[in-house]
Amino acid sequence: MLTQSIYSSLTGFPAWHGSSLGAFPALSLHADPSSSPFLTLHAVRQWSNVPFFTVPLARAHGKSFAHRSELRQAKRIVVKLGSAVVTRGDECGLALGRLASIVEQVVLINRNGREMMIVTSGAVAFGKQRLRHEILLSQSVRQALHSGQNQLKDMSLPVLEARACAAAGQSGLMALYEAMFTQYSTCTAQILVTNLDFHDDQKRRNLNSTLHELLRMNIVPIINTNDAVVPPPEPNSDLQGVNVISIKDNDSLAARLAVEMRADLLIALSDVEGLYDSPPGSDDAKLLDTFYPGDQHSITYGTKSRVGIGGMEAKVKAALWALQGGTSVVIANGTHPKVTGHVITDIVEGKKVGTFFSEVKPAGPTVEQQTEMARSAGRTLASLEPEQRSDIICILADLLTERKDEILSANKNDMEHAVSRLSPAMLKRLSLSSSKLNSLSIGLRLIAVSSQDSVGRVLRRTRVANKLELEQITVPIGVLLVIFESRPDCLPQVSALAIASGNALLLKGGKEAANTNRILHELAQEALSIHGDKDAIQLVSTREEVEDLCRLEKMIDLIIPRGSSQLVRDIQRAAKSIPVLGHSEGICHVYVDHEASVDKAIKIIRDSKCDYPAACNAMETLLVHRDLLRTPLFDQIIDMLRTEHVKVHAGPKFASYLTFSPSEVKSLRTEYGDLECCIEVVDSMQEAVDHIHKYGSSHTDVIVTENEDTAEQFLQQLDSACVFWNASSRFADGYRFGLGAEVGISTARIHARGPVGLEGLLTTKWVLRGEGQTAADFSEQGSMTYLHENLPVAQVLPGHRTTS
C-alpha cells in the first residue's frame, strides 16, 4: 500500500479517500527508504499470464489500418488518458491504482519493440487537491484535520482558478509518473505544449525533433497541455468549483501529436466503453464495434463525462481528424476495474475492445448485424408448421446429392491448399466424398422426420385451478454459435438440426475449409428461401476472432464448439457469460475383463482405436485385467495393434510387469487423436471404474466381458455420458444413435448429455391460460383453491391451442 508519508510528499495532503488502488490487487506500492521521495511497484502478477507481443514490421505511414487484427503491426502508439481516467471518482486527486496498471501495460508493450507516448490529463485535479490543503492550513484548521471530518465538511472554500491548479499539480503529476516508470527501469520525459506550438513552424519542428530523439533513446514522452498559461476557459463547475480546461484540448492534442509523429495507433481512454449510436444508458443504445467516417449522421451524442467539457463528440472529431491523417484510433474505457488492467494490451493485440475507427467499410454485414438478422429470421422459422421445417431439411438433403460435383470441386480446392499445412488426421476430417455426402443426405432425412414433433411439443399439462391451465412446451433456445475446425460435413448437419429445432444459427468455420463451407452455406440458405427464412443461418466470413465472438453475450444464447480439445478449452475460457455445450477432451477407455471373449475383444479394440483415430469417441486408453497378461488373448491384442501401426505407451503399472517396455506414458489423461494409445493394467472391474473416474473425461467408456453381473455393475457405477457393454466406443455418435446427426457430444451434467441432437437444442417455456384470476384469489381470504391436477398431454403446434 502507498504509505501516507510518500503520498504527502507528492501531494501535500496527509490522507486520501476513495483511491482506486484497492481495485488493483495485482500491484502494491510502498516506500523505499533509500530514496526520497520514491515509489516501489511490486508486480504480483506473473508475467507469464500477460500477453507478449512480437516486434512488428515497420510500415509506410499514410494509411490507417483497415481491420482490428492489423493493430498488432502498430509500431508507434499514442495513449491518451482522459481526465475521467486519471482522476478519482471524487475528482479531488488521482486514481493511483488505475495509473499503476496503465503504466505496467505501457512498459510491457514498450519492452516488446514498440514506441510509446502518453498524453495525460490530471494536473488540474492533482493541483486542486494540493491547493485545497494549503488553503485549509492557512485558515488555521489543523486542529480540524485531527478532530474529525464533520468539521472539515463545514469549512467553506473559495473557487479555485484552473490555471493555478494546473501550475500546482503538474510537478506532482509528473513526479508520480516518473516514480512509477522508474520501477520498471523505464525513463520518461515531460513535455508541455500549447496550441501555439503547433501553429508556429519552427516550434513544431523543434517539438517533432525532441520527440523523435526521445523515442530513439527508448524514453516514454509524457505530454500534457500547459494549462497554467492557456487562455481562460469558459466557467464550468465540473470539478466542483474549479474552472476546468476543456477536455477537447487534450483530445485534439493527442490527435495532432499522433499525426505529427506519424503514429500508427491512437488509443483514447475515457470513462465509457466506446462510441454508442445513441446516448449510453438509453434503452436502444448500441456500442459500435467499428465506426466509419460516413456514419456521423447516425450518431446521437449524449451529455459529456463527469470531467471535461468536450464529451464524446469532441473525441469523435479528433479521432476522425487523426484517421484522415493516417493514424488508426480506438476509443475505449480506461476506468472499469475489470478491464483496466489489460485494456491497452488487448487493443494492441487486436481484440474487440471499445470502438475502432476505420476508413475501409466491409462489403457485407458485420457479425453483429448477421446475428440480428439470424435472430429475426429464426423467430419466423420457429413459427413455421413442423411440416414446413421438415420440407426445408429434405430440400437441403436433396441439394447435397444434386450439387455434389460443385461441393466436391470446392473441397478439392481446400484440400490442395491444406495438404502441406494439416496433419493426416486433420486432412481426413477436411475431406468429403460422394459416399460421405450420401450419408449426410440420409442423416438429414432422419432429422426431417424427427422435426415433425419438436417445437411446440407439450411436455406437461396441469389444471392449476378451475379455468386456469398450465402447459410446459418445447421452444427453441434462440441464437446458436457453432465454431468448427476442418469439418465441413458439420455445416449441413448443424444447419438441419437448427432448422428442425427452430433455432437461428451463426457458423464460424476454419479458413482451411473456406471454399467448401461457402458452397454448403449457400445450399442451406437456398433451402431456407422456400419459406423466406434464408437469413436464419449465417456464415461468419469476416476476420472475426473466436474470442471476440464469445463476447457477444447479449446476442448469442449458446456456443457449440466442434474441433480439437484446445479449441474447446479456449472457447470455454473466453465465453464467460455464454453457456458452452461440448467436451474439452475425449479420453475414452476400453476395459477388457478377465472373462472377455477373445473375438469380441479384438474386434472392439481394433474398431475403437483404428476406425477413425482422430474422432473424439476413439479409444485412448486400453485397460487390461491383470489375469490376462501373458495369455493368448493379450498376445493377440498386442499383435493386432502392431499390425495396425498403433504406437503403444505403457502405463506405470503395466511397465512394472515388463523387462523391456514401450515408452512409459507421460500422463494417463491424454487424448492422442492418432494411432497411439496407452495400455494400463488393473486388478479388477472396480479398479477400472476408479481409474476411469480419475483419468477419464466422462465421454465414452466400454467394458468387454461375458459376465453379465460384472457388466451391469460397470454400467451402473460409471458416470460417463456413454457407457457400453461389448460394443465399440465409436457408436457414441448422433447418427448411429438414430438422432440423424449431432451438434456434438456433451459431457456436462445438466441439460443435454452425450450425443446432442434435436432434443438438446430445445428448451421449455410455461404457458398459463386463465380468465382473470389473481394470486390474491387463492389467499386465506380468497374464494378460490388450487387443484393441481395433471391432465392428458395434447400437442400444441405453432399458432394453435389445446382444448381441455
Side-chain angles (χ1 to χ4, degrees), residues 717-792:
Q717 293 184 34
L718 208 57
D719 62 359
S720 299
C722 300
V723 285
F724 301 161
W725 173 24
N726 286 345
S728 168
S729 62
R730 293 280 290 128
F731 279 107
D733 175 81
Y735 175 77
R736 296 181 179 117
F737 277 11
L739 306 179
E742 66 184 33
V743 294
I745 295 181
S746 173
T747 56
R749 305 284 184 207
I750 57 175
H751 189 55
R753 197 161 191 235
V756 180
L758 178 56
E759 292 292 327
L761 299 182
L762 296 170
T763 185
T764 65
K765 70 177 178 182
W766 296 89
V767 177
L768 184 65
R769 297 185 176 94
E771 294 188 3
Q773 295 92 336
T774 66
D777 294 334
F778 296 87
S779 65
E780 291 183 4
Q781 294 77 28
S783 60
M784 303 186 71
T785 58
Y786 290 109
L787 299 176
H788 294 146
E789 297 176 356
N790 290 330
L791 300 174

Side-chain angles (χ1 to χ4, degrees), residues 641-663:
L641 293 175
R642 184 183 298 112
T643 301
E644 297 290 343
H645 306 290
V646 177
K647 182 178 181 180
V648 173
H649 302 275
K653 200 169 180 180
F654 179 44
S656 68
Y657 284 96
L658 304 174
T659 305
F660 300 100
S661 68
S663 61

Side-chain angles (χ1 to χ4, degrees), residues 88-110:
R88 297 199 316 239
D90 60 7
E91 303 168 14
C92 295
L94 302 182
L96 297 177
R98 195 180 298 149
L99 281 178
S101 178
I102 289 171
V103 166
E104 181 185 8
Q105 294 174 77
V106 170
V107 169
L108 173 64
I109 299 171
N110 177 249

Side-chain angles (χ1 to χ4, degrees), residues 4 138 352 381 389 418 423 425 569 610 727:
Q4 295 185 6
S138 68
K352 190 172 286 189
L381 178 66
R389 289 193 297 273
S423 66
R569 284 194 296 268
C610 307

